[in-house]
Amino acid sequence: MLVLKITNAPEVVAAKIGRFLEALTPDSLDEKTVEDVIIKELISNLTAEGLKGEVAAVRGLELKDASLEVGDGLHVRRHETF
């Protein structure tokens, strides 16, 4: 299992759509947008390599240093099988 944490979603969105528009969008929307694009590209690349599996965007799970912390509101926001 792999865990990927995106830490600069607002900056990526700002670079793509501009600082003014990024300032109008909430950070949670930025994170969801970046996660959805990454999931789409990840599935495309892994499928091209012949790999099969599942990928999910999960809320309530935190990667802190070398530990994984589970919060009270743990839920899967998006799940894809490839």
Side-chain angles (χ1 to χ4, degrees):
M1 179 175 289
L2 302 173
V3 175
L4 174 66
K5 179 179 180 179
I6 307 301
T7 59
N8 67 336
E11 291 87 358
V12 170
V13 171
K16 299 288 184 186
I17 65 170
R19 289 274 175 208
F20 175 73
L21 291 176
E22 190 277 330
L24 298 176
T25 62
D27 285 349
S28 62
L29 179 62
D30 295 346
E31 288 177 21
K32 290 176 184 177
T33 301
V34 171
E35 286 174 353
D36 289 344
V37 170
I38 289 173
I39 287 172
K40 180 181 173 185
E41 292 299 317
L42 186 61
I43 289 172
S44 177
N45 290 324
L46 294 175
T47 302
E49 294 296 327
L51 292 168
K52 294 181 181 181
E54 299 175 57
V55 64
V58 180
R59 293 281 173 247
L61 192 63
E62 285 294 320
L63 181 61
K64 294 187 179 181
D65 298 321
S67 66
L68 197 58
E69 297 179 4
V70 178
D72 292 336
L74 181 67
H75 75 279
V76 176
R77 185 183 68 76
R78 179 176 174 180
H79 176 262
E80 298 282 336
T81 301
F82 60 93

